[in-house]
Amino acid sequence: MNGEHDVFRNNYVPGTACGGGSHCDFLQGGCYDAAPPYTSITRSLVEDNTFLEWSNSDEYFFLTNDTDNCGNGEGTVGMIVRQNKIYNEQGGSFTVVDHSGGYGLTQYNHVYNNSIHTAAQPSNYAVYLRVSDYSSMINNLFYDAMTLSGVVGLYRASGCFQSHNLYYDPDGTMTFSGAALNEVGAVKNMNPLVNNPAAGDFSLAAASPAINAGGPLTTIAAADTGNGATFVVNDLYFFQDGWGGGTANGVQPDCIAVGTVSNMTCIVEGSANYVAGTVTISPAISRNAGDPVWLYKNSSGQQVLYGSAPDIGAYEYVSGGSPDTTPPSAPSGVLVN
């Protein structure tokens, strides 16, 4: 895929076999226009997909690379990869953003609140953002998804950030290096108590250490006035402002919480200025510089924040059962090819 403002969400991909040497990725982006000007996939959303039990050795969930071949100076910028559930992933990484020419073109790609359970070919990282500047990996749950020793979690470029990820391997005690060694808010070597990932249920049991253990995505910027409808954050690329008509077409702007879970507002469609970090919100809410900012509702209008803070992983725990824990069923009689 290529282009801007693509949305990939709510897909259920059941397990199947794949021929050797094929890329059975959930999504691969690159420069595939028939004629110039070439574009790469950029400023797009990959949200709330379930990807189960694929069997080819060269397979990733999200992969985009060699965007230098586009020839237009544009890399993969502003991708949001969130709330996805992956079981038995066969490639070395869950997400790869790369290109052949070096730093500078791929920027502000954010991978957060995903659950990855079991990697057949684990490495010391699960998210590979080698040339993706100012990008991040936050609040992701990695169960048996990396090697036991020397885990860094995010293979980083300049200005990248990782925090509040959970790392667990049932086969032994994981050790850490690089940015993961002193990662802020990381939960290490604790069983996340995911209910039944093999069946597509990535919800958390009531005693999970991932509950309320997530961290902020970004913070209120010093330039923000503290009130009114013009909102300034330190990194707006974590959020999307709705595309193509909002509710009528199903791509609703994100709603966010600031400081506390109850202090919630929604982004006004089409109002984001990503370079300036400003966006219009409704209703106006009070805030202070440095306040944490969390996702409250996603692009489907689904509430994804409960309790006192975000949970780690793709599912938010709610006492009595999360509203989104029922895994989808593959339709009978349908061949997925």
Side-chain angles (χ1 to χ4, degrees):
M1 293 296 299
N2 61 349
E4 295 187 33
H5 293 167
D6 298 319
V7 180
F8 308 89
R9 64 179 184 180
N10 304 331
N11 296 286
Y12 179 80
V13 185
T16 187
C18 178
S22 300
H23 263 278
C24 287
D25 310 316
F26 173 77
L27 172 62
Q28 184 175 14
C31 302
Y32 303 121
D33 296 280
Y38 302 115
T39 59
S40 61
I41 186 171
T42 190
R43 286 178 283 275
S44 296
L45 176 68
V46 185
E47 176 186 86
D48 199 14
N49 301 284
T50 301
F51 189 58
L52 299 177
E53 197 78 51
W54 285 68
S55 60
N56 186 66
S57 60
D58 196 9
E59 166 261 295
Y60 304 88
F61 176 73
F62 172 59
L63 168 66
T64 178
N65 57 5
D66 291 331
T67 52
D68 272 1
N69 294 332
C70 297
N72 65 347
E74 173 149 351
T76 298
V77 178
M79 291 294 301
I80 299 172
V81 182
R82 67 189 184 193
Q83 300 169 338
N84 299 288
K85 287 79 66 178
I86 293 86
Y87 177 77
N88 196 20
E89 188 265 334
Q90 300 290 315
S93 301
F94 154 63
T95 297
V96 173
V97 176
D98 198 3
H99 72 96
S100 59
Y103 293 81
L105 294 180
T106 59
Q107 298 182 332
Y108 299 103
N109 298 296
H110 295 314
V111 180
Y112 64 94
N113 284 102
N114 300 280
S115 292
I116 301 90
H117 195 296
T118 309
Q121 301 182 73
S123 65
N124 62 350
Y125 52 83
V127 175
Y128 185 90
L129 303 178
R130 180 175 68 92
V131 292
S132 182
D133 300 325
Y134 316 118
S135 298
S136 68
M137 180 184 84
I138 298 175
N139 297 346
N140 298 286
L141 189 157
F142 301 110
Y143 184 112
D144 197 15
M146 280 170 275
T147 56
L148 280 171
S149 61
V151 169
V152 297
L154 168 63
Y155 196 105
R156 303 154 62 94
S158 61
C160 285
F161 180 75
Q162 63 189 69
S163 75
H164 295 84
N165 298 288
L166 185 148
Y167 307 92
Y168 176 72
D169 192 322
D171 299 323
T173 301
M174 303 178 75
T175 60
F176 300 86
S177 61
L181 184 63
N182 298 305
E183 178 181 323
V184 173
V187 177
K188 300 175 178 178
N189 293 308
M190 296 182 68
N191 191 332
L193 302 178
V194 176
N195 282 317
N196 192 358
D201 181 359
F202 287 79
S203 60
L204 303 173
S208 173
I211 296 173
N212 294 328
L217 302 177
T218 187
T219 54
I220 299 297
D224 191 272
T225 62
N227 52 57
T230 300
F231 195 73
V232 189
V233 297
N234 284 309
D235 187 348
L236 188 58
Y237 281 99
F238 279 100
F239 309 110
Q240 56 83 32
D241 62 352
W243 299 316
T247 303
N249 290 284
V251 186
Q252 300 182 42
D254 290 342
C255 294
I256 54 180
V258 180
T260 65
V261 173
S262 61
N263 192 32
M264 189 273 293
T265 186
C266 293
I267 293 172
V268 174
E269 184 175 352
S271 65
N273 183 329
Y274 287 97
V275 175
T278 61
V279 68
T280 303
I281 56 171
S282 180
I285 57 172
S286 61
R287 63 270 185 187
N288 298 293
D291 280 351
V293 183
W294 306 309
L295 180 68
Y296 185 86
K297 289 184 179 180
N298 65 14
S299 73
S300 297
Q302 179 184 39
Q303 184 175 340
V304 294
L305 178 61
Y306 295 87
S308 59
D311 297 344
I312 296 175
Y315 277 138
E316 186 80 358
Y317 177 80
V318 181
S319 180
S322 173
D324 57 2
T325 56
T326 304
S329 299
S332 60
V334 175
L335 173 65
V336 180
N337 187 4

